[in-house]
Amino acid sequence: MSPGPSVSGARGRAAGHAALGLAGLGALVALWWVATDVVPAPGSFARLFAPGPTFASLAELVQGRDLPLHVWTSLRRIAIGLIAALAVGVPLGLAIGASPKLEAATTPAFQFLRMISPLSFMPIAVMAFGVGDAPIHFLLFFAAVWPILLNTAAGVRQLDRRWLLLAESLAATRFETLRRVILPGVAAHVLTGLRLAIGVSWIVLVPCEMLGVSAGLGYFILDTRDRLAYPELMATVVVIGVIGFLLDAAARAAHSRFAPGR
């Protein structure tokens, strides 16, 4: 039995979007090649960052042990920061969204803190938590908590009040209302906040790992610079971009799977 026209049309649109995406990536690589391999004179410093040496170094790094270790370390730090942000941001967002007085009391302070770059707290975090993973976890948490908190609160405010009244009329307990009505109702907003938090955290992670640690992608960039291994440096930049792209794709897939509609 052949698929219906709507299914075939959806597959065709998806294939078309994928082709356009690949074309865009190809154009980006072409611009990179022109800027680093065609325009610079032979023997120029810029040619060390060209796609050819970069992908050759990337192949060597992938087959070695150092790069996977640094990738794993960075992903573990991201996971800890996001879990902490979810543990704090979701309950606090639920409370703020349900209480106009609490929202009025906390919004100015939260908006003030949200607009401060997490990197501004790097010296303070090191003084407070010492050198190592702890300050990085704090900075990632600080970067990730705001989009999760604010999106959760927005989701609570946009809940259909008729569902809450229905739960009350059915004598549902507060826990049952939370589990069956509120959490499913705000799931899309929480996942949107999580996607934003992943993007912000991944950007903040690299500079955080350039301070006082001995592993991670940010540390590895400094290490390649100190060793004058510029093709490896550019390969690491490519790896950071690929992993960030995959993390965002995973967040989008989770949103489509668990919260396809409002």
Side-chain angles (χ1 to χ4, degrees), residues 94-232:
L94 292 174
I96 291 172
S99 173
K101 291 183 178 179
L102 183 60
E103 179 185 4
T106 58
T107 295
F110 286 163
Q111 291 295 341
F112 173 78
L113 292 171
R114 184 176 71 90
M115 297 307 296
I116 300 175
S117 170
L119 300 179
S120 303
F121 290 101
M122 287 178 67
I124 300 174
V126 171
M127 288 187 292
F129 300 103
V131 176
D133 286 346
I136 297 177
H137 294 158
F138 168 77
L139 293 171
L140 293 176
F141 160 79
F142 187 86
V145 70
W146 307 117
I148 294 174
L149 187 156
L150 296 175
N151 275 275
T152 302
V156 174
R157 289 193 296 268
Q158 294 180 22
L159 279 175
D160 191 336
R161 300 301 168 185
R162 291 174 297 180
W163 289 105
L164 298 176
L165 292 174
L166 177 60
E168 183 179 353
S169 67
L170 294 175
T173 64
R174 290 186 176 182
F175 177 75
E176 289 173 337
T177 303
L178 175 67
R179 184 168 65 91
R180 296 295 183 89
V181 178
I182 297 177
L183 289 180
V186 302
H189 289 81
V190 173
L191 290 173
T192 299
L194 179 61
R195 181 185 176 188
L196 295 172
I198 289 173
V200 174
S201 300
W202 191 245
I203 292 173
V204 170
L205 173 70
V206 173
C208 288
E209 289 184 331
M210 294 181 176
L211 183 65
V213 295
S214 58
L217 291 171
Y219 163 81
F220 194 54
I221 285 181
L222 290 183
D223 180 63
T224 55
R225 182 204 63 182
D226 295 339
R227 292 187 287 108
L228 306 181
Y230 298 115
E232 290 187 17

Side-chain angles (χ1 to χ4, degrees), residues 1-22:
M1 184 176 180
S2 60
S6 60
V7 176
S8 300
R11 290 177 178 175
R13 287 191 296 271
H17 290 164
L20 289 174
L22 291 175

Side-chain angles (χ1 to χ4, degrees), residues 49-107:
F49 300 91
T54 296
F55 288 121
S57 295
L58 180 59
E60 294 177 1
L61 290 173
V62 169
Q63 295 174 4
R65 299 179 58 183
D66 289 342
L67 183 61
L69 172 63
H70 294 302
V71 169
W72 165 250
T73 301
S74 294
L75 291 176
R76 176 174 53 81
R77 289 169 178 154
I78 283 287
I80 292 174
L82 289 175
I83 291 172
L86 285 169
V88 173
V90 172
L92 196 53
L94 292 174
I96 291 172
S99 173
K101 291 183 178 179
L102 183 60
E103 179 185 4
T106 58
T107 295

